[in-house]
Amino acid sequence: MSSIPMEAGLLLAGILFVIGMVSVMIRRNVIFMLISVEIMLNAAGLAFIVAGSHWAQPDGQIMFIFILTMAAAEVSVGLALILQLYHHLKTLDSDAANFMKG
Amino acid sequence: MILLWLIVLLLAGGLLAWIAQRWHPSAPRWIALFTVLSSLLLTMLLWVNDGASPTDTAWLIRLEQPWIPQWGVGFSLALDGLSLLLLLLTFFLGLLAVLISWREIQHKVGFFHFNLLWVLAGISGVFLAMDLFLFYFFWEVMLIPMYFLIGIWGHEKKRYAAYKFFLFTQASGLLMLLAILGLYFIHGNQTGTYTFNYFELLNTTLAPVAARWLMFGFLAAFLVKLPVVPFHSWLPDAHSQAPTAGSVILAGLLLKTGAYGLLRFVLPLFPTATVEFAPWAMLLGVIGILYGAILAYSQTDLKRLVAYTSVSHMGFVILGVFAFNEWALQGVVMQMIAHGLSTGALFILAGFLYERLHTRDMNKMGGFWTTAPKMGVMALVFVMASLGLPGLGNFIAEFLTLVGAWQANNWLTVFATIGLVLATAYSLRIMQKVFLERNLKQQVLPDLTFREMLIAAPMVVLMLWLGLYPQPVLDLAQPAIKQQLQAYTPAVPAVTSPAPQTAFYPPATDSTYFQKMKGETYEFK
Amino acid sequence: MAELLWLIPALPFAGALLLVLLGSRLPRALVTTIGVGSVGISAAVTLLLGIEYLSESPAFYHQVVWNWFNVAGFSPSVAFHLDALSMVFIFVITFVGFLIHVYSTEYMAHDPDYARFFACMNLFVGSMLVLVMADNLLLLYLGWEGVGLCSYLLIGFWYKEKANGYAARKAFIITRVGDTAMAIGLFMLFQTFGTLHIQTISTEAVQVWDTDARMAVIIAFLLLGGAVGKSGQLPLQTWLPDAMAGPTPVSALIHAATMVTAGVYLIARMHVIFELAPGAMMAVAVIGAITLLLAGCAALTQYDLKRVLAYSTISQIGYMFLALGVGAWSAGVFHFMIHAFFKALLFLCAGAIILALHHEQDMRRMGGLQKKLPIVFWTFLIGAASLAAVPLVSAGFYSKDQILWLQLAGENGNIWLYLAGLLGAFITSIYTFRMVFLTFYGESKTHVGHQPTMAIKLPLIILAVLSLVGGFIELPHNFGHVVLFSDFLSPILPTISVVPDFNRYEWMLQLLAAVVSLSGIFIAYLIYLKKPDLRASLHRSETAMAVHRFWHSGWGFDKLYDTLLVRPYVFLAKVNKDDVIDSFYTFLTRLAEAFHDLFSDSQTGLVRNYVMGIVVGAIMILTITIFL
Amino acid sequence: MNSNDFLHLMPLLILTFGAIINMLVISVWRNHKIIYVITALSMLAAFGSLLEQRTLGPHHIDPLFIIDGFAVFYMGIILLTALLISMLSYAYFEQREEQKEEYYLLLILSTLGACVLVLSKHFASLFLGLEILSVALYALIAYLRKRERSDEGGIKYLILAAFSSAFLLFGMALVYASAGTMEFAAIATAIASAGGLSLLMLTGFGMMIVGVGFKLGVVPFHMWTPDVYEGAPAPVTAFIATVSKGGMLGLLIRFFMEVDGFRYPALVLIFTIIAVASMFVGNLLALMQRNVKRILAYSSIAHMGYLLVAFLAGNEMGVQAITFYLVAYFITTVGAFGIVAMLSDKVRDAELLSDYKGLLWRRPWTATIFTAMLLSLAGIPLTGGFVGKFYILAAGVNTGLWLLVVTLIINSVIGLYYYIKIIAVMFQQPDAATEATARLRPAIYVASMGTLTILALLLVGIGIYPTALLNLIATVLDSYSTVAFR
Amino acid sequence: MEATFYIAGAVAVIATLLVVMSYNLIHALLYLVVSFLAVAVVFFTLGAPFMAALEIIIYAGAIVVLIIFVIMMLNLTYEDVQQEKSWLKPSVWIGPAILSLVLLAELVYLVVAVEAPGTVSVSVEAAAVGMALYGPYMLGVQLCGILLMAGIVGAYHLGRQKKKIVHRFLERRAAS
């Protein structure tokens, strides 16, 4: 159909990935962190799609589906945990959860 | 098989002693006593039966059992004169250690004797193992119970001392393990058979560089154990903090494993590398002799003082080992035994004093001769042994070592000999501070009891025996030593020039080794 | 009889062993019996052997008791060798030793450690006998160190006094310095000959070495080191004066008659080596000369009776060294024997005085004892005469004269050595009679408590007689020409050849010696008895007092060694008490702990930081992939 | 899919089946004991089905799975460890009020994930296995909901694991982009045909290492370990330390061997740095630590470093060394955490050093077992840890990895310090007050003591007579492994 | 088509940046939806229309909605937005941003440095995906099921609530 260079796709994925990464690092709100991780996973999925379309194989897309599944499972457990944490700490501040260190 | 049973006996005795505490508080003592005594008797039996009949090899008994065949590890034990001597020493001192703890150790008696017996088992294993893997195995096995002995029943800084001891020996031991592995692979690549067997590995030919590094690996373990000066710092702490039995075993036996390792492994395995390294090793020995002596002189803690004397005395061992001749090596063997006895005795003495005074500080002692003359006499003998008085075992050892060392290196021997003067200084200090002078605090020191005499008197007798008639010991060790030295003996046997005989002089058993040339020193190749 | 050789040292050893084991439980009488008896029997055996030796006159007796050990051809035996030289020594040791033992029974009568004393004394006698009878140098070394040990034990006998212990340690350590040199000498001997058997070495040395061979010289010097240490010669003499801390019989036996002359014995015994090393011989003589002068001067200034005698001993051994140094072997040994008699006598007398004066040793508080202790006075006088070499009547005159004469007339003679000896003789007679005058004349200052009884008197008298007549076995050839003693020794020790030109001057020299000796006595008489003003004026002179103090301190050797060796050593030891090397390992642990703290701080417990850690890791990995 | 495939996947099927039954039973009747029995039985059955596999030989289920000797052995140890952990968990959870039943469900699921990991030969199965393991672990770590630390550990692990999974995925995508396939063997062929690693591929590998390194808990991806170890319930900690890491390691070995990563200096360098850093950082972190769980966490970092030494040795010997070491390490870790679990009370886990003061005199047998475990971790003879460490050293020496080997030795010494520190604490005089009050029910106590005793005996057994295990490893791994050795 | 890719890509990047930078959770989520939609467009341009649909349905639909539910449960207020603002100080984000830029630079370098590969972009139809999914990847799908089961069981266990959560703001107000 079209000729989009693979680098462009991978670059886009890379940029999204890095943005998500920054976000994980700078955010203290746990939900934001979770969202950022989703961005990163999405970026990885994008990379798979790019690669898959490059090789004209369905495998990339299948990996994306798996990633999707995993993201869903992860988000559900993650949110449950966040609720639990909020229950204990009355805050979403991840820095507050540092009983364990050293 | 008897060798295996010897070790098993000790291990089993240890377990039994531990369990036996449930039955009766002093049951462990009796079990331990009985176990060690029977080991001693068994070994003596070995001496009587096998020691007297010299065969063509130096080995009296050998045992080979497969253990981990995949790696070429065998459970191989062997006994030669050297091992036999050290076993005798082990069990003798072990016996004393049991006796000495009779009253000193009052809590956790069972566990104490368990550890004691397992240390002895480990040490026996070290002296018997003829498979490098097994050797390393025992080498490590003896550390743990020793660690417990120091760490549980020691004095005030016991934990620090126990850590230090364990870390030093373990670190050095691992380096040896590395060298063992290197040797294993080099030998395997050469011959195609991968084995840890000592006898097989003896046939390895090594490139000079490899030999050097492997030798350093082995030396690391042995020099730390010995200990040689820059690596000695674990010893004063461990010795002074350990309970008396622990100190006796540490000084009397554990240090000897280092010397034994040098004789058994370093010399025959790396004949070229050792010759290269010999001057440095001897230098280390001399530094040890002098440095240990100076430190010993300054100590006020009696056990610490004695510990540093060990550093000094063990300097003679490395000096002698790296002289590569029979005199020196015989001296080293004698030194191992004599030092085991004399230093053990001094520690026992310190133990007696500690039991009475609850201090090891010599500044708080003095003038005990008046109330405890027997102890004084014993102490005198021990102290004199420590300073190398002729007539006692240490003299023979030191003299032979020095005679041998002289053939190898004159100047270093001169400095080593100066060590004798320093030895006098620190040894007499013990007498002076503890037994002489005025008893300022008016402490009444009970004299030795019967049990204590039973411990001390045999040591005196043995020391005198070693000093006046050491021939049995020397004979026993001789074939073994010859064997260790094989690689160093010049290929062509020295020309036998009969010593000039005069009518009445005793037959010249004296050396035929020497080329008697005017003003020319004999150089050892 | 030769089979009984081993008994001579064995008996005292057995005595010592018995006393150590049972000492405290035995009654005093039994202790006395064992202690004195063992030496007595030993002396008797010696006597029998001596008679047999004289009648049979073999080269030597030899007995192997057992083979000590054998290592690769190095096989010293516990074996005894008895020849004329040893004979002289064991005779002196057993007999003088016996007398002193007898004397001690009274001297030490009230000491609580009576048994210990005799145990040590017996041990000493045994060791000393081993020393002189050993057929190899290693056994000799055993005896050598054994006597050192006994010396240590006996100097520090009254151990409660800190100073005594200090003196004992000093003696042991300083002599050990010499022993170390000797030990190295033994290594070299062994290296060369493959044996330490004395006779073998003696016969082979001449074959192996030329005169002045480097090895021979070095060995000779090293042996000399041992001799110097044991015999209290320069520079290792400082222990001997302090050794007077021991009981007086000990001083008499060990630090006058026997042990300190072990050096003389060693040099005489190894004379073959020394003859091959003229340099070392010269050194022996020079050391002897200097020592005899220095010690003489020091003796002049001492107040402690025993210290005077101690310095005098050093000085007299200096004479023996002088003799040995010029090759006058038998003269040296002769002087040893005579010296043993009179010095033991003097010490025993001093002991009697000290005992009488309640352990007062300061001569300034003595005086006027001539009347109160007549026997002691007369015997002391005889001893003093012998020491001062009063011509004709005293044995000391003959022995010392022989030495002086051979300094000039001997083939290695040297006028400077002679003059030193002569000056020494002069000083000797001054301090000897200073002692006599201060102690026995003048007014009495201290109450006399204890009158000597038979056990003290008898040894004194016997020794006095010997000090008088002992000299007659060896008389100068212009004066009776008796050469019994040198003849006796001649198979063992080479006789010295005399430059014939000197023979006609011999009587002049003897006269000179006599005059010097007598003038010394006269001067002492003037200063210490006749003209107290003279003494007082000396005391007022600043220079004289400075010299006095300097001499009194034994030429400052103690101080010198103290600042040069002892203090630095002790300082070094104290500074390094906690072992600098240990601090390196402590540093390692500190380092590990510091790293632990560092890493531990990185574990903040904050997820953000952990994420950052992962990112850093990722960057690291990508960087590596880029650059590699 | 044919019946043969099913036969080979039997362990996984059994586990799935067990999980489903558990779920059904829970919905009908919540009973701790029954659930426990079902779990243990299903694990046992799964393990039993493995024994059958021995005779079957390597089997490919394209494209996702491979069942060969290597996989079987690793599955075997994973299953056995999981079984042991479930046995210890029973005692642990019995005294806690939390709903216990889901725990076993999750345990089975994550075990299943670990099994999938070691079976996989494709990125998809790798990823799925990893995620099953992880997702179940999130819940397991935070299982004790009343405990703040448990939650904290869970959320930390979740965010970090997802984060690192993203890296892994991105890396896989890059590799895929470069190679055009996600099968390990095909990737190897692609590399071979391309005549080397393209930069893109290398980048992909690099990013995958982040994900793998995180699971293994090696420096610098190690920071989660102490917190999660501390926060998680003791049996779960044991699970993380053993099953989770073991599964990942098995996968790493397979993948690396397949693509022969040792040929690429960049990868070797990366792993070398990671290994050295892990050993030092792990041990130094543990050095003065006073919390036993954290000590064990830090020590696990170091142990992963040790394992990487053998991994880098890379040949057959290296793999066998890793395998042996893993077995010893599994036994030791399970034993150690088992003891922690056993000494824990309702309120908190026994994790402070002071909890162990005088243990040798209070509970001699427990303390002896713990001592054996610690000595094994330290690599002292008479224990399996020694033989394992010896093997690793041998592998390292054989390949000539001197830097790594020397680092290992230095670190063994550092490590020794904190292990014997714990031992030293155990033989101090106990305070009178520290006597444990609440005791387990006798039956449970005996059961867990029995488990621990068996573990200790096993440990000493392979320490003294390792021949049998060595043989087993050699035959299982060699006879029908498809893992290609250099 | 190419232009669509680049425009959609730019939108995705910008929207994602806004997600990162916004203080309000809900706003951020909305931007996230935008980002997901943009990525879906990218998928479409890359010839994966089925995936584009899934992206919208699951990511933008399910997951984001799930998060919004939770946010609603937590009852966040203006105060939280302020707090979020205070947390996002430059001192907080500069370090990570630099790190990320380094990483990005490296990634860009590594990706671009690749020797130019073919730039074909063939549409892989849903059917092909389905065939693969239920062919070779069948077991993978099963594993997905197990994965979801783990997720559900975990979420169920952790999410069970016995007590009503009271927001600390309300708590404080009640206290005063």
Side-chain angles (χ1 to χ4, degrees), chain B residues 501-517:
Chain B
Q501 295 220 359
T502 336
F504 195 73
Y505 298 136
T509 42
D510 285 328
S511 173
T512 51
Y513 252 121
F514 297 90
Q515 303 154 349
K516 289 178 184 112
M517 276 186 262

Coordinates of all heavy atoms in Angstrom, one line a residue, chain B residues 501-517:
Chain B
Q501 N 89.1 -40.5 58.7 CA 88.8 -41.2 59.9 C 90.1 -41.2 60.7 O 91.1 -41.5 60.2 CB 88.3 -42.6 59.6 CG 87.0 -42.5 58.9 CD 86.1 -43.6 59.4 OE1 86.4 -44.4 60.3 NE2 84.9 -43.7 58.9
T502 N 89.9 -41.0 62.0 CA 91.0 -41.2 62.9 C 90.7 -42.4 63.8 O 89.5 -42.7 64.0 CB 91.3 -39.9 63.7 OG1 90.8 -38.8 62.9 CG2 92.8 -39.7 63.9
A503 N 91.7 -43.0 64.3 CA 91.5 -44.2 65.0 C 90.3 -44.2 65.9 O 89.5 -45.1 65.9 CB 92.8 -44.6 65.7
F504 N 90.3 -43.3 66.8 CA 89.4 -43.4 67.9 C 88.1 -42.6 67.6 O 87.1 -42.8 68.4 CB 90.1 -42.8 69.1 CG 89.3 -43.2 70.4 CD1 89.4 -44.5 70.9 CD2 88.6 -42.2 71.0 CE1 88.7 -44.8 72.0 CE2 87.9 -42.6 72.2 CZ 87.9 -43.9 72.7
Y505 N 88.0 -41.8 66.6 CA 86.8 -41.0 66.4 C 85.7 -41.9 66.1 O 85.8 -42.9 65.5 CB 87.0 -40.0 65.3 CG 88.1 -39.0 65.7 CD1 89.1 -38.6 64.7 CD2 88.2 -38.5 67.0 CE1 90.1 -37.8 65.1 CE2 89.2 -37.6 67.3 CZ 90.1 -37.3 66.4 OH 91.1 -36.4 66.7
P506 N 84.5 -41.5 66.4 CA 83.3 -42.3 66.1 C 83.2 -42.3 64.6 O 83.6 -41.4 63.9 CB 82.2 -41.5 66.7 CG 82.7 -40.1 66.8 CD 84.2 -40.2 67.1
P507 N 82.7 -43.4 64.1 CA 82.5 -43.6 62.7 C 81.9 -42.4 62.0 O 80.9 -41.8 62.6 CB 81.7 -44.8 62.5 CG 81.0 -45.0 63.8 CD 82.0 -44.5 64.8
A508 N 82.4 -42.0 60.9 CA 81.9 -40.8 60.3 C 80.5 -40.9 59.7 O 80.4 -41.1 58.5 CB 82.9 -40.3 59.3
T509 N 79.6 -40.9 60.5 CA 78.2 -40.8 60.0 C 78.0 -39.4 59.5 O 77.0 -39.1 58.9 CB 77.2 -41.1 61.1 OG1 77.6 -40.5 62.3 CG2 77.0 -42.6 61.3
D510 N 78.9 -38.6 59.8 CA 78.8 -37.2 59.4 C 78.7 -37.0 57.9 O 79.1 -37.9 57.2 CB 79.9 -36.4 60.0 CG 79.7 -36.2 61.5 OD1 78.5 -36.1 61.9 OD2 80.7 -36.1 62.2
S511 N 78.3 -35.9 57.5 CA 77.9 -35.7 56.1 C 79.0 -36.1 55.1 O 80.2 -36.0 55.3 CB 77.7 -34.2 55.9 OG 77.4 -34.1 54.6
T512 N 78.4 -36.7 54.1 CA 79.2 -36.9 52.9 C 78.8 -36.1 51.8 O 79.1 -36.3 50.6 CB 79.1 -38.4 52.5 OG1 77.7 -38.7 52.4 CG2 79.7 -39.3 53.5
Y513 N 78.0 -35.1 52.2 CA 77.3 -34.3 51.2 C 78.2 -33.2 50.6 O 77.9 -32.6 49.6 CB 76.1 -33.6 51.8 CG 74.8 -34.1 51.4 CD1 73.9 -34.6 52.3 CD2 74.4 -34.1 50.0 CE1 72.7 -35.1 51.9 CE2 73.2 -34.6 49.7 CZ 72.3 -35.1 50.6 OH 71.1 -35.6 50.2
F514 N 79.3 -33.0 51.3 CA 79.9 -31.7 51.0 C 81.1 -31.8 50.1 O 81.9 -32.8 50.2 CB 80.3 -31.1 52.3 CG 79.2 -30.8 53.1 CD1 78.7 -31.7 54.0 CD2 78.5 -29.6 53.0 CE1 77.6 -31.4 54.7 CE2 77.4 -29.3 53.7 CZ 76.9 -30.2 54.6
Q515 N 81.2 -30.9 49.3 CA 82.4 -30.8 48.6 C 83.4 -29.9 49.4 O 83.1 -28.8 49.7 CB 82.2 -30.1 47.3 CG 81.1 -30.8 46.5 CD 80.4 -29.8 45.5 OE1 80.6 -28.6 45.6 NE2 79.6 -30.4 44.7
K516 N 84.4 -30.6 49.9 CA 85.3 -29.8 50.8 C 86.3 -29.1 50.0 O 87.3 -29.7 49.6 CB 85.9 -30.8 51.8 CG 84.8 -31.3 52.7 CD 85.4 -32.2 53.7 CE 84.2 -32.7 54.6 NZ 83.9 -34.1 54.3
M517 N 86.0 -27.9 49.7 CA 87.0 -27.1 49.0 C 87.3 -25.9 49.8 O 86.5 -25.4 50.5 CB 86.4 -26.7 47.6 CG 86.5 -27.8 46.6 SD 86.0 -27.2 45.0 CE 84.4 -27.8 45.0

